[in-house]
Amino acid sequence: MKNKIIAVFVLLLMAFTAGCAPQNTAGSTPGSVSGGTEKPVVRIGMMSSSDVIPYVLINENKLADKYGFRLDLEVFTSAKDRDAALQAGELDGVLTDFIGVCMYQNAGLDVKITGITDGDYILVAGKDTGIRDISQIKGKSIAISEKTLIEYTLEDILSHNDMTGDDVVKEIVPKIPDRLELLRNKKIDLGLLPEPFATLALNDGAVYLGSANQFGLYPAVSAFSKTALDSKAAAIHKLYQAYNEAVDYMNHTDIRKYEKTVIKAVGYPEEMIGKITVKPFRTSKLPTKAEVENAVQWASKKGLCKPTLQYDQMVYDVYSAS
């Protein structure tokens, strides 16, 4: 009799345990277990800007599910915090730029450029400066961050217009919101701003003078640590397939259908609903050798990396991965 009671107790315990086990449902997250196999997680750190849109759409449109991985996106308000998370191994990759990768390499952090993005940097003049054309900016003041992508982009734009960095008065202001406020308050003449700050400035009456992309510079990139590339090559390869599908969706869909996603991802205020425009994005690929070498040359002159840094050290081809 005693043995029968024990047997019944064991059966009840087994039934209770099975009833409490996690269940796979149609609404489970992309990282859930399906068929006994857990999807690999790709962790990316980013700042709010226009180049994050395809990555957000990967999750919004369930493309991570389709391609068999989970995408964790973490938004940072500081590049310093993003980079610290990458160095600590809390991130696999980041949305960054040529100069940032030069600096990673110089610091002994093996980070490789794996794709291009379409982040842009807009040169604007304050609405009451009287400046209406880029040819009028000699001797004018501009707030920038020193020895960064912003300074590199500014000098590239100037070189395309027969000027150098010495033709403007550079005011060193590290934080982008502070630069926008100086422009609004007429304390500086010019701003070189990413989204959403560029659109906010233009909405306040600032004058568009040109952009990095307009002059052929696309310095924003996606990059991954070599550690992540060694351990998650297949998942990162799938990520870029999903990225390109998200770009195709953007380029062939009325923005009003995904405008709320754009506003949230980029950081536009809600009152911009109905006013947002997104230019066509390019599908991802590696940047050209010339683009990377030009950035290395500039960064080395600023003491940010060694001039011997080679293209093959800076990039990693994930597109031919299996």
Side-chain angles (χ1 to χ4, degrees):
M1 182 68 181
K2 183 178 179 181
N3 289 338
K4 288 182 179 180
I5 292 172
I6 292 173
V8 170
F9 177 77
V10 170
L11 288 171
L12 289 172
L13 181 61
M14 290 173 64
F16 177 79
T17 303
C20 292
Q23 301 296 310
N24 288 329
T25 67
S28 60
T29 65
S32 61
V33 175
S34 176
T37 303
E38 187 172 358
K39 295 176 182 177
V41 181
V42 180
R43 305 164 301 167
I44 299 179
M46 55 186 59
M47 311 276 283
S48 292
S49 65
S50 57
D51 52 355
V52 312
I53 299 171
Y55 289 95
V56 174
L57 284 172
I58 287 173
N59 282 340
E60 291 282 337
N61 292 356
K62 302 187 183 303
L63 297 176
D65 274 339
K66 175 180 176 179
Y67 286 96
F69 65 93
R70 174 180 163 189
L71 178 60
D72 282 356
L73 301 175
E74 186 168 353
V75 179
F76 292 83
T77 57
S78 158
K80 183 178 179 181
D81 291 342
R82 178 203 63 195
D83 294 346
L86 179 65
Q87 189 165 14
E90 296 167 4
L91 300 171
D92 298 313
V94 290
L95 299 192
T96 181
D97 56 80
F98 293 146
I99 307 305
V101 177
C102 289
M103 294 172 70
Y104 293 145
Q105 288 286 342
N106 196 56
L109 186 59
D110 197 3
V111 175
K112 308 288 190 184
I113 297 169
T114 46
I116 57 175
T117 70
D118 280 334
D120 203 359
Y121 303 86
I122 315 299
L123 182 64
V124 298
K127 64 178 180 180
D128 296 322
T129 58
I131 299 170
R132 293 293 178 268
D133 185 84
I134 196 168
S135 63
Q136 300 174 298
I137 70 173
K138 283 190 177 182
K140 301 300 182 180
S141 61
I142 181 168
I144 64 165
S145 51
E146 189 178 25
K147 296 182 179 181
T148 64
L149 172 68
I150 292 295
E151 187 174 20
Y152 174 64
T153 300
L154 172 64
E155 294 189 2
D156 188 86
I157 290 173
L158 291 173
S159 71
H160 277 89
N161 289 275
D162 301 318
M163 289 180 275
T164 71
D166 295 331
D167 287 316
V168 293
V169 180
K170 297 175 182 176
E171 302 285 349
I172 308 305
V173 182
K175 295 182 179 180
I176 298 173
D178 293 344
R179 294 176 222 159
L180 177 60
E181 287 306 307
L182 289 172
L183 190 71
R184 283 172 165 169
N185 295 322
K186 305 177 185 180
K187 299 292 181 63
I188 56 169
D189 301 311
L190 307 165
L192 182 61
L193 303 167
E195 295 294 2
F197 302 98
T199 292
L200 295 176
L202 293 168
N203 202 46
D204 287 344
V207 178
Y208 176 91
L209 299 177
S211 79
N213 292 178
Q214 177 187 336
F215 294 112
L217 179 65
Y218 291 84
V221 296
S222 53
F224 283 85
S225 70
K226 186 60 165 55
T227 300
L229 290 166
D230 287 341
S231 62
K232 300 182 179 181
I236 294 170
H237 174 71
K238 294 292 186 182
L239 168 71
Y240 284 105
Q241 290 182 319
Y243 177 94
N244 288 343
E245 185 167 333
V247 166
D248 186 64
Y249 170 83
M250 290 172 60
N251 291 344
H252 295 91
T253 305
D254 187 332
I255 189 175
R256 302 306 161 220
K257 292 185 178 180
Y258 63 97
E259 186 177 34
K260 289 184 179 179
T261 297
V262 172
I263 286 174
K264 182 179 179 181
V266 182
Y268 292 112
E270 288 292 329
E271 57 264 29
M272 293 298 291
I273 291 176
K275 302 176 183 177
I276 302 296
T277 60
V278 176
K279 65 186 179 183
F281 270 52
R282 303 167 300 160
T283 52
S284 192
K285 60 182 179 180
L286 288 177
T288 67
K289 187 175 182 180
E291 288 175 309
V292 174
E293 288 180 343
N294 288 341
V296 170
Q297 184 180 29
W298 184 89
S300 66
K301 288 179 180 178
K302 298 290 184 180
L304 302 176
C305 69
K306 296 178 181 178
T308 54
L309 192 57
Q310 299 295 309
Y311 178 74
D312 289 343
Q313 294 173 270
M314 291 279 287
V315 303
Y316 187 100
D317 181 9
V318 299
Y319 303 96
S320 58
S322 59

